[in-house]
Amino acid sequence: MENLAALVKQAPDLVEGATSVKSLDALQNDLLGRRSLIAGLQRQIGKMPAGERPCMGRAIQEARGVFADLIATRREHLERETERMTLAADRVDVTLPALEFPEGYTHLITSTIEEVCDIFIGLGYRVVGGPEAESGTYNFDALNTPPTHPSRLESDTLYLDWGDPADEILLRTHTSPMQARYMEQHDPPAYVVVPGKVFRADTPDATHSPVFHQIEGLAVDEDLTFSDLRGTLAYFAREFFGADRRIRMMPDYFPFTEPSAQMHASCFSCEGGGSCRVCGGVGWIELLGCGMVDPNVFEWVGYDPSRVSGFAFGMGVERIAQVRHGVSPLRHFFDNDHRVLSQFR
Ligand code: PHE
């Protein structure tokens, strides 16, 4: 009895001394388990004189209740504490610098093509693509270019299969074959732009590459005139290079347009004169070749040249990107050097 009373007195300190759930479990076993003082007394109760039993029984029950309550309270506290510490340990430090994920970006050639196409989409044009391996028929014959034309020589054109002009296969030297392919497949009117790779037998240097990109434009309708061509290209130049751009047309020659011209835009860097890095001081930058679609091309695709008229133009993508961003030499477009390309993301 005295031992039990002493233990009940000690109990709060004992329970408080358990600093983990594990040590509390051990203590619970000591106070209430099969080998505990309480369990021993319980076993002896039967051998006690009948008069003392109720008193002893009550003391045991009271002690059991005190121990159980203390342990339950302590357990709750310890569990809450454990959880709090786990949460504290798991806390995310949002002030840590983030991991860097390298993010891809569009190549300057691609973004230039997209930008130009967007401008023409805004004018009602469709974007179409064509084959890079082309037949001599579409690359030359359909475009009013005779078998004797110098551009058909192996020194200028990369042939996959050379010989009989009727079935020669080559890497297209311009995007113009899509003029013929598109008109052959679609009735007029036609408003299309054709971006893509073109190939020429050139040795790479600062201004030449055997592979480069062009964007072809073709507009065919009733009553289209050279003024429509000029207005369309002036609009393009202002959208692409800036509101102050003026353009001029200089006579040129292409077998598939008549008349033919090259379009120049006023230099956005110097506005003429001096020793400008962009235009060389002339104040104008040559941007593209263009002209009114030759009646022979219309006849070849089955259009009636007395009922429709139209214009075409072809611009070099590297060229207009170079001019606008001051990128030179040409190899910057193909080297995939992020120090160069990331400037245009
Ligand atoms: N295909 C010509 C070239 O590659 C450009 C051009 C396209 C000229 C359309 C006139 C009309 O140089």
Side-chain angles (χ1 to χ4, degrees):
M1 266 297 242
E2 275 141 47
N3 287 347
L4 187 59
L7 194 56
V8 168
K9 233 177 135 199
Q10 270 184 350
D13 285 344
L14 287 173
V15 170
E16 202 63 34
T19 53
S20 70
V21 173
K22 212 175 150 205
S23 58
L24 187 66
D25 285 342
L27 182 64
Q28 179 169 9
N29 197 45
D30 289 348
L31 293 177
L32 298 164
R34 280 200 306 118
R35 291 170 194 271
S36 64
L37 179 64
I38 280 187
L41 292 172
Q42 186 87 51
R43 276 194 293 276
Q44 284 170 31
I45 237 174
K47 297 172 206 150
M48 289 172 80
E52 291 176 23
R53 284 183 205 167
C55 179
M56 187 53 150
R58 220 177 300 119
I60 290 173
Q61 279 325 310
E62 269 172 29
R64 199 187 288 283
V66 169
F67 295 163
D69 283 354
L70 285 170
I71 288 169
T73 309
R74 183 67 179 161
R75 183 178 297 282
E76 209 177 289
H77 170 78
L78 286 176
E79 281 172 356
R80 227 181 303 120
E81 193 67 4
T82 311
E83 184 178 83
R84 199 184 59 76
M85 277 160 64
T86 312
L87 286 178
D90 276 0
R91 212 183 80 214
V92 176
D93 183 352
V94 292
T95 67
L96 278 176
L99 289 179
E100 246 189 78
F101 290 103
E103 198 185 315
Y105 54 96
T106 311
H107 191 284
L108 179 56
I109 291 297
T110 308
S111 61
T112 303
I113 288 174
E114 281 171 359
E115 204 176 316
V116 173
C117 287
D118 276 351
I119 293 170
F120 284 97
I121 286 169
L123 291 173
Y125 286 65
R126 283 178 65 186
V127 181
V128 295
E132 292 172 358
E134 187 52 282
S135 67
T137 309
Y138 285 101
N139 198 81
F140 295 122
D141 298 333
L143 299 173
N144 198 37
T145 309
T148 52
H149 195 275
S151 68
R152 296 186 83 139
L153 291 174
E154 268 187 298
S155 54
D156 284 356
T157 295
L158 296 161
Y159 284 90
L160 299 174
D161 200 350
W162 188 66
D164 186 354
D167 52 33
E168 62 198 3
I169 302 289
L170 48 85
L171 294 176
R172 67 178 175 192
T173 58
H174 50 180
T175 42
S176 302
M178 266 312 282
Q179 290 185 32
R181 284 186 179 276
Y182 188 85
M183 286 190 279
E184 213 182 22
Q185 299 285 327
H186 299 84
D187 288 333
Y191 289 91
V192 289
V193 281
V194 190
K197 286 189 178 64
V198 300
F199 308 83
R200 289 182 193 177
D202 279 328
T203 307
D205 64 21
T207 55
H208 293 85
S209 162
V211 188
F212 57 102
H213 298 77
Q214 283 189 336
I215 301 173
E216 191 81 8
L218 172 72
V220 182
D221 211 329
E222 290 165 15
D223 306 323
L224 284 182
T225 67
F226 201 91
S227 302
D228 297 303
L229 169 60
R230 197 185 191 290
T232 302
L233 293 181
Y235 173 79
F236 159 73
R238 286 195 303 269
E239 288 292 301
F240 189 78
F241 291 103
D244 301 334
R245 280 323 93 222
R246 285 163 295 123
I247 65 160
R248 71 177 183 184
M249 307 290 241
M250 305 294 272
D252 204 337
Y253 172 78
F254 299 101
F256 38 93
T257 45
E258 182 60 34
S260 302
Q262 47 180 255
M263 187 264 255
H264 298 186
S266 57
C267 180
F268 51 83
S269 182
C270 73
E271 296 298 339
S275 55
C276 174
R277 194 174 45 86
V278 177
C279 68
V282 291
W284 295 94
I285 304 159
E286 185 194 335
L287 287 185
L288 53 84
C290 59
M292 302 306 290
V293 178
D294 193 292
N296 289 342
V297 176
F298 282 143
E299 257 156 31
W300 196 94
V301 300
Y303 279 16
D304 180 353
S306 68
R307 301 197 50 188
V308 295
S309 60
F311 57 81
F313 54 86
M315 64 183 89
V317 178
E318 284 79 0
R319 164 124 196 110
I320 61 171
Q322 270 186 317
V323 166
R324 187 163 107 177
H325 300 288
V327 184
S328 70
L330 200 54
R331 66 172 165 75
H332 282 323
F333 291 108
F334 311 109
D335 277 353
N336 274 332
D337 185 336
H338 285 288
R339 291 169 303 176
V340 176
L341 295 175
S342 62
Q343 298 175 61
F344 308 106
R345 56 200 306 169

